């Protein structure tokens, strides 16, 4: 009697007056190529066999929806961030050319980070990549602004180097070493890729700002003159 009651209560949770619920269990991981194909097959099968509307819910379905919209949302986040940084820097230095060089230096660091991730064979969760790109672009632009501001004040690359390099290296090394250590120590699928990417991206940004940005900034000031 108790088993029958339990079964009836369980069935009541799966079948209602307006909607029914079906549970699908598989051995696939939450997110993978095989899981994506499996979700696609399930959706296609339901579209062919079910006469009424249906909704797919669950972890794997959520990842598949995120994956399908990733490219569009990545472009939106990238364009929005670039425009925001460009406008702020252009208004600060009153020079679209300087803003262009600073944005390009930061984007170079972002793309170096992407390439390093691909070469290293590391995997990213959807949200992790968007978070990393936004944080990286927002934080490392400070290095370029600092150097540019010193160069504008002194008019000398040597003096700008002397004043800006200690601050850039101090802040940069913190952003490189601390997230790098956390990325090695923590194996969480969400935390580890974020902090590791921040470390690699900051390293690329520091290299670009110290070795490439001075030439671009010096050229921009000469063009303006």
């Amino acid at each position: 009697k108790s088993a029958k009651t339990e079964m009836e209560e369980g069935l009541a949770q799966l079948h209602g007056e307006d909607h029914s619920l079906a549970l699908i269990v598989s051995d696939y991981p939450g997110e993978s190529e095989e899981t994506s194909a499996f979700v696609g097959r399930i959706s296609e099968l339901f579209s062919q066999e079910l006469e009424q509307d249906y909704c797919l819910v669950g972890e794997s379905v959520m990842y598949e929806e995120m994956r399908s919209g990733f490219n569009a949302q990545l472009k939106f986040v990238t364009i929005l961030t670039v425009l925001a940084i460009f406008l702020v820097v252009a208004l600060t230095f009153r020079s679209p050319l300087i803003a262009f060089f600073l944005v390009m230096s930061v984007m170079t660091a972002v793309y170096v980070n992407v390439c390093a991730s691909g070469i290293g064979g590391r995997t990213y969760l959807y949200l992790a990549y968007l978070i990393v790109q936004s944080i990286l672009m927002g934080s490392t632009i400070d290095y370029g602004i600092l150097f540019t501001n010193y160069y504008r004040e002194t008019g000398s690359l040597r003096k700008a180097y002397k004043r800006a390099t200690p601050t850039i290296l101090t802040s940069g090394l913190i952003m490189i070493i601390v997230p790098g250590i956390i990325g090695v120590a923590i194996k969480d699928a969400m935390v580890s890729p974020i902090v590791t990417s921040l470390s690699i991206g900051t390293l690329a940004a520091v290299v670009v700002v110290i070795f490439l940005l001075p030439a671009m900034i010096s050229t921009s000031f000469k063009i303006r003159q």
Side-chain angles (χ1 to χ4, degrees):
K1 184 178 179 179
S2 61
K4 181 180 179 182
T5 302
E6 185 176 353
M7 183 180 298
E8 291 175 349
E9 292 177 352
L11 291 174
Q13 297 178 19
L14 299 177
H15 183 72
E17 296 181 359
D18 299 322
H19 302 88
S20 296
L21 175 66
L23 302 179
I24 302 175
V25 182
S26 74
D27 293 330
Y28 292 112
E31 182 182 15
S32 68
E33 293 291 340
E34 295 80 5
T35 306
S36 177
F38 176 71
V39 173
R41 292 196 302 271
I42 292 296
S43 180
E44 183 179 357
L45 178 64
F46 284 3
S47 298
Q48 295 174 353
E49 300 296 335
L50 298 182
E51 297 179 356
Q52 298 180 348
D53 295 335
Y54 67 92
C55 294
L56 292 177
V57 297
E59 180 184 10
S60 298
V61 178
M62 178 188 67
Y63 285 139
E64 179 60 22
E65 290 180 352
M66 289 180 175
R67 178 179 178 177
S68 62
F70 174 76
N71 290 331
Q73 294 187 22
L74 177 62
K75 290 179 182 179
F76 175 77
V77 171
T78 302
I79 293 173
L80 184 63
T81 307
V82 167
L83 288 178
I85 294 175
F86 181 87
L87 289 175
V88 171
V89 176
L91 291 175
T92 300
F93 292 100
R94 298 180 181 179
S95 171
L97 186 60
I98 293 178
F100 172 77
F101 284 142
L102 289 178
V103 170
M104 289 304 298
S105 66
V106 175
M107 289 303 298
T108 300
V110 171
Y111 290 130
V112 168
N113 180 37
V114 173
C115 293
S117 301
I119 295 173
R122 292 183 289 120
T123 58
Y124 278 87
L125 293 179
Y126 161 79
L127 293 177
Y129 188 83
L130 295 181
I131 292 172
V132 166
Q133 177 167 309
S134 300
I135 295 177
L136 189 61
M137 293 180 67
S139 61
T140 56
I141 191 66
D142 292 341
Y143 305 149
I145 292 175
L146 180 66
F147 183 90
T148 304
N149 191 50
Y150 281 140
Y151 180 77
R152 187 175 65 171
E153 291 178 356
T154 61
S156 169
L157 286 177
R158 177 182 296 181
K159 292 180 180 179
Y161 262 116
K162 187 176 181 180
R163 296 178 63 179
T165 301
T167 303
I168 293 174
L169 290 179
T170 301
S171 176
L173 287 175
I174 293 174
M175 285 286 291
I176 294 169
I177 296 175
V178 176
I181 294 175
I182 296 175
V184 174
I186 298 179
K187 303 302 181 182
D188 184 81
M190 174 65 78
V191 176
S192 181
I194 292 178
V195 293
T196 302
S197 296
L198 285 177
S199 177
I200 296 174
T202 303
L203 175 61
V206 170
V207 172
V208 169
V209 169
I210 292 180
F211 293 102
L212 298 181
L213 183 63
M216 293 188 291
I217 295 301
S218 177
T219 301
S220 69
F221 272 92
K222 291 180 180 179
I223 293 175
R224 290 175 63 193
Q225 293 173 356

